[in-house]
Amino acid sequence: MATQSAGLTYKGRPLMRKDNMIYYGSMADSHIVLLQVLETKPVNGLDVATRVSVQLLLNDPGARSRDRIVKKSEKDGLYAALDVGCVWLERALVK
């Protein structure tokens, strides 16, 4: 019988990537985090994110895209952006 992996997760929440955008959180929750890689630099043959936009989004398909943005920031590096996004998401889901 084949087993299906859960995919990538960070602190128990799913990560989904499409090109230079990374979605963090479950689509079933009220909020999700969008990480957009704005700049990269090559390090040992791999592209590493140097500038990342972080947005906490309201997960309401009926809302306009401008009204969906709850918080917005820009960080240096993917880890810093993901760390901030994780804190924002945890606080938004507790409310």
Side-chain angles (χ1 to χ4, degrees):
M1 195 171 227
T3 59
Q4 185 176 6
S5 67
L8 290 176
T9 60
Y10 179 73
K11 294 189 179 181
R13 300 204 188 280
L15 284 165
M16 292 164 273
R17 178 178 175 241
K18 172 72 173 143
D19 297 325
N20 66 336
M21 294 192 289
I22 301 168
Y23 294 92
Y24 175 63
S26 173
M27 293 298 174
D29 290 337
S30 62
H31 293 78
I32 58 171
V33 172
L34 170 64
L35 305 164
Q36 185 174 9
V37 177
L38 302 174
E39 287 181 0
T40 61
K41 73 174 182 178
V43 175
N44 294 333
L46 294 173
D47 286 338
V48 176
T50 56
R51 212 174 97 217
V52 181
S53 168
V54 185
Q55 294 179 2
L56 177 66
L57 302 175
L58 183 61
N59 197 10
D60 180 11
R64 294 185 320 184
S65 60
R66 190 181 320 164
D67 296 336
R68 292 179 63 196
I69 299 172
V70 178
K71 287 186 179 184
K72 190 172 163 179
S73 181
E74 204 172 286
K75 297 294 175 188
D76 293 330
L78 184 59
Y79 180 76
L82 191 55
D83 203 31
V84 167
C86 181
V87 170
W88 286 354
L89 187 60
E90 290 291 327
R91 289 179 182 173
L93 294 178
V94 169
K95 292 181 183 179

